[in-house]
Amino acid sequence: MSRLRLLLFAILLLAGCHDSARLALLPPGSQVLAFGDSITFGSGAAPGEDYPVRLAAISGWQVHNAGIPGDTADAAQARIHASLAQTRPALVIVEIGGNDFLRRRPEAAVKDDLRAIVRAIRQSGSQVVLVAVPRLSLLGAASGRLPDSAIYAELAKEERLPLVEGVLAAILSDPTLKADPIHPNAGGYHKLADGIAEQLRRSGLLNKP
């Protein structure tokens, strides 16, 4: 019985190592790259109301907005290296995939594209945080039923990445937080930045307020 208890304790300890793994704290002034599509760009809100601006105010980091409306995970692979070279970030926050889903690309293909982006970032020496995106559809957005696509949790587990779960899906399921069926409004971007900041705190990248 004692051996069984020791084995169970070792299993729990090893499992906890992944859950409690902490990344290096980024001090104020650190260079951070927000890499993504129209949601990173801030479509649906006025200039200066995008989530990277709000996150910069929360963290004190220099957050560069590399969001391009209409971009896909497939196409973004071609620009990630240039974005990294231009900003030399300590951290990259990746939010992309919604346009791939709208174009009905297979989720497995989108996951492969995301993995390639993540690995390019890591090869540059930057840390990575992944933002889960719901499997967007106009019908789903209109009905308020938008769970995260499962590929983000799968990829985060496989690549051992911090994951911002459920935040964007909840925002896009709330009519009061949307400018249109697939974009947040200013209030939605505020909540997105807050949700990302909370995950960054849990991961050890950002100090608690």
Side-chain angles (χ1 to χ4, degrees), residues 35-37 68-83 96-97 99-100 103 105 109-110 113-114 116-117:
F35 187 81
D37 51 30
I68 295 182
D71 202 15
T72 62
D74 182 25
Q77 294 180 70
R79 68 181 178 95
I80 183 60
H81 294 285
S83 295
I96 202 162
N99 291 307
D100 299 84
R103 297 178 187 187
R105 293 190 66 230
V110 180
D113 296 337
L114 288 166
I117 291 169

